Amino acid sequence: MAAVKNTAKTFKLNSGDSVPGIGLGTWQSKPGQVEKAVEAALRAGYRHIDTAFAYGNEKEVGEGIRASGVPREDIWLTTKLDNPWHKRVAEGIDQSLKNLGTSYVDLYLMHWPCSLDPDHEGKAYADWDFVDTWREMQKLIGTGKVRNIGVSNFGIKNLEKLLNDPSCKIVPAVNQIELHPGNPSPKLVAYNKAHGIHTSGYSPLGSSDSPLYSNETINAIAKAKSRTPQQILLVWGLQKGWSVLPKTVTTSRVEANYDLDGWSLSDDEVAKIDAIPDRFKVCQDGWLPVTVFYGDDE
């Protein structure tokens, strides 16, 4: 039997494109650190980088890509439309492309289903919502600036509203959501799959100082396999069928998070992780003027 090569895993999207299963997340990565992390990741073998306008680090991500020496066409690059730019989609992608120093992105996501008025801080538009934003994002396909479009932080309720609107002609290629054993979202993952939407998981390790690192079940499996809890969590996500976006700026951790080849989890081990009862979310919606998370994911 051939050795398992988790780092080569890709997932086919409804567009026909294939996204690498492991990507480097850059949320909360401080300026001055992101460029080196991106360069280290690409040198280690990663071919998927995830950023966003809201992270404030697109320029450094672009610098890290160029410093790596890896050809742009060999890299899957994702960025996201920020909430105050929902009425300015064409300008939003142009600004991100300028920041990144590239002519296109492989995936452009609506970061949140929340359309904020830039002239009234913290307030949502009264005459515009994410359905209108998606109508504008669809116009980007065919411009050469984006290869795929998708959404992020969409639950079933908001996906239903989007997909059932007559203006929705393109089904999102991806729904990027928080995914780890403390927030497994099985109903939402199943909904995505049933509608041909690939699920991508952010905070797959449960973020910094994750309680998952001290979880007895995960540690027992890690010890038995001579692996780190982080490696166990990433392979769990890949085997569950979603792409994973671990975030770190430490070169040794960037490399360790990619050291996933030659082993896998048994069905029993996956089931044990699935059965972890503790629940927590890294990312909440209390900072937004609209509800985003309705508890309809599990």
Side-chain angles (χ1 to χ4, degrees):
M1 185 175 170
V4 176
K5 197 158 172 60
N6 287 309
T7 58
K9 193 167 185 64
T10 61
F11 296 97
K12 195 157 193 176
L13 306 182
N14 59 25
S15 65
D17 288 348
S18 292
V19 59
I22 306 165
L24 180 75
T26 59
W27 179 44
Q28 293 181 328
S29 295
K30 295 176 183 175
Q33 300 177 331
V34 180
E35 179 186 347
K36 290 185 178 65
V38 169
E39 181 182 356
L42 291 169
R43 289 183 183 275
Y46 290 71
R47 289 297 180 266
H48 179 175
I49 306 293
D50 181 271
T51 185
F53 182 88
Y55 300 167
N57 61 22
E58 287 176 318
K59 287 183 180 178
E60 283 204 45
V61 167
E63 288 162 2
I65 289 173
R66 289 185 288 278
S68 75
V70 176
R72 168 68 186 91
E73 60 268 21
D74 293 347
I75 301 166
W76 182 281
L77 181 58
T78 296
T79 195
K80 309 177 190 81
L81 177 74
D82 197 14
N83 301 339
W85 291 73
H86 278 211
K87 280 193 177 183
R88 298 171 291 155
V89 170
E91 293 172 58
I93 185 60
D94 284 348
Q95 186 59 57
S96 283
L97 293 177
K98 181 181 177 183
N99 291 343
L100 289 162
T102 186
S103 62
Y104 73 97
V105 291
D106 298 271
L107 178 61
Y108 196 43
L109 300 176
M110 189 189 318
H111 205 157
W112 291 88
C114 178
S115 306
L116 294 183
D117 183 346
D119 297 324
H120 297 87
E121 190 175 347
K123 289 192 174 182
Y125 284 114
D127 62 345
W128 188 280
D129 68 9
F130 60 82
V131 173
D132 300 298
T133 308
W134 188 251
R135 186 186 64 239
E136 297 305 306
M137 287 182 69
Q138 290 177 134
K139 296 176 183 177
L140 297 178
I141 296 295
T143 63
K145 297 177 181 181
V146 304
R147 300 277 172 89
N148 297 272
I149 55 173
V151 296
S152 181
N153 296 300
F154 270 61
I156 293 172
K157 182 174 180 176
N158 282 336
L159 283 172
E160 288 270 90
K161 180 177 178 180
L162 178 62
L163 297 176
N164 290 321
D165 192 273
S167 69
C168 181
K169 308 297 184 187
I170 299 175
V171 174
V174 172
N175 185 15
Q176 187 183 121
I177 57 176
E178 180 179 338
L179 275 178
H180 49 74
N183 192 63
S185 310
K187 281 186 181 176
L188 178 52
V189 171
Y191 182 94
N192 289 339
K193 187 175 182 179
H195 290 81
I197 302 169
H198 171 68
T199 302
S200 188
Y202 71 77
S203 297
L205 307 178
S207 206
S208 305
D209 302 316
S210 172
L212 295 170
Y213 298 167
S214 57
N215 180 274
E216 288 184 13
T217 299
I218 290 167
N219 274 287
I221 296 171
K223 186 176 181 181
K225 291 190 172 305
S226 299
R227 292 286 165 180
T228 67
Q230 290 88 342
Q231 290 168 337
I232 298 300
L233 290 165
L234 294 174
V235 170
W236 174 79
L238 290 171
Q239 289 186 210
K240 294 287 286 184
W242 53 77
S243 49
V244 292
L245 304 167
K247 185 232 96 175
T248 183
V249 293
T250 308
T251 298
S252 61
R253 288 182 193 150
V254 166
E255 293 170 349
N257 288 346
Y258 201 71
D259 183 15
L260 305 177
D261 289 339
W263 61 281
S264 60
L265 297 172
S266 68
D267 290 346
D268 182 57
E269 288 167 333
V270 170
K272 284 179 179 176
I273 297 172
D274 288 348
I276 292 172
D278 307 321
R279 293 289 176 265
F280 69 93
K281 272 181 74 64
V282 175
C283 211
Q284 305 286 351
D285 63 2
W287 59 283
L288 294 168
V290 298
T291 299
V292 168
F293 302 126
Y294 293 93
D296 57 0
D297 57 345
E298 187 164 5

